[in-house]
Amino acid sequence: MKIKEKVLLIEDERTIRGFMQAILTANGYDVLMAGTGAMANTMISSHCPDLIILDLGLPDMDGMTILRSVREWSKVPILVVSARSHERDKVEALDAGADDYLTKPFGTEELLARIRAAIRHTRTPDGAAAVANSGVFTAADLTIDYGKHRVYIAGRDAGLTQNEYKLVALLGLHAGKVLTYDYLIKELWGPSARSDNQILRVNMANIRRKIEKNPAQPAYIFTESGVGYRMIEGD
């Protein structure tokens, strides 16, 4: 019998909580629920969920407090689902350790896809390092060959520059996860690099011209407006 992944849903609105519980249960997840931050903190430590879905607007505390607290001792994937749509809130949550950020209202399929990506990410904790050394990442016609430091589209070398390759390679290692602009800049150009998103935009524009059939409607690397970039999940 397949073991169900345990999801802790932290949401104070009863209607939304019930709706999301129904979706998750119907798709094979074991769902635990908490309507307050205090209850959530107790359940996180006692039930050890495989994934946390976290609303930021809780009645007794801000969800960011829970996020930061959990990240002090656990790497459990945390998907923030919030009505706060300002890019500042998204960046703050992602920089604090959230694996992803989904703004209400959202589609059922997008929610499920992001849950799968977050859980899969933790199922192979050493996978990223292994892939980075010698492995291959594939998604549709896109192939990242980490051993050769090359990116291919339908078997053809995309002709990326060194910096362009580094950017695509990093996104491939964290496929399905949003990487913020600041994180990408510091990883590629070092901790003292100036937080100038323009250099990322220039590189991404060049990358999309080389790997996308239609750069205006990308199929591989998506922009999370004001936040960062996200690579499509691998095959």
Side-chain angles (χ1 to χ4, degrees):
M1 188 175 78
K2 181 182 176 181
I3 299 175
K4 294 182 178 181
E5 265 99 17
K6 190 185 302 180
V7 176
L8 174 57
L9 174 58
I10 306 171
E11 168 65 60
D12 66 316
E13 293 189 34
R14 187 181 304 240
T15 302
I16 296 177
R17 197 165 63 230
F19 170 69
M20 293 178 69
Q21 180 192 26
I23 292 173
L24 295 170
T25 301
N27 283 273
Y29 294 100
D30 183 9
V31 185
L32 305 170
M33 295 188 291
T36 66
M39 183 185 299
N41 282 327
T42 299
M43 297 184 74
I44 290 169
S45 58
S46 62
H47 290 276
C48 298
D50 297 297
L51 173 83
I52 296 172
I53 298 178
L54 175 64
D55 179 31
L56 297 181
L58 300 172
D60 57 339
M61 67 179 70
D62 191 279
M64 287 296 299
T65 302
I66 296 175
L67 174 56
R68 293 191 179 98
S69 175
V70 172
R71 279 294 170 259
E72 290 179 357
W73 61 276
S74 174
K75 293 184 179 180
V76 59
I78 299 176
L79 170 58
V80 172
V81 178
S82 175
R84 300 178 190 175
S85 58
H86 196 283
E87 64 184 59
R88 181 180 62 249
D89 297 307
K90 297 179 182 179
V91 170
E92 183 183 8
L94 291 165
D95 282 345
D99 292 84
D100 208 343
Y101 192 111
L102 192 57
T103 304
K104 299 175 182 177
F106 51 83
T108 299
E109 291 304 316
E110 182 177 12
L111 171 66
L112 293 171
R114 298 207 184 196
I115 288 173
R116 289 193 298 270
I119 291 178
R120 183 164 56 250
H121 211 62
T122 57
R123 285 290 177 267
T124 55
D126 298 323
V131 170
N133 289 328
S134 60
V136 173
F137 171 86
T138 59
D141 287 336
L142 172 72
T143 300
I144 305 173
D145 190 321
Y146 287 91
K148 296 179 179 179
H149 285 213
R150 291 287 186 273
V151 173
Y152 301 92
I153 296 294
R156 176 184 58 82
D157 193 321
L160 301 187
T161 67
Q162 184 178 11
N163 279 342
E164 290 165 3
Y165 168 78
K166 287 180 179 178
L167 181 53
V168 174
L170 185 58
L171 287 164
L173 290 178
H174 301 278
K177 182 176 180 179
V178 180
L179 301 185
T180 64
Y181 296 130
D182 282 350
Y183 175 83
L184 290 167
I185 289 170
K186 287 178 172 57
E187 286 292 311
L188 268 62
W189 289 281
S192 60
R194 187 162 57 95
S195 296
D196 182 3
N197 297 347
Q198 184 60 27
I199 190 172
L200 280 177
R201 293 193 180 99
V202 170
N203 276 275
M204 188 56 66
N206 291 334
I207 289 168
R208 282 174 170 156
R209 280 195 292 269
K210 295 175 181 179
I211 71 171
E212 301 283 3
K213 289 183 179 179
N214 182 359
Q217 296 181 322
Y220 298 113
I221 301 175
F222 307 102
T223 300
E224 298 286 345
S225 184
V227 180
Y229 298 107
R230 174 171 54 87
M231 172 72 76
I232 188 176
E233 297 177 42
D235 296 337

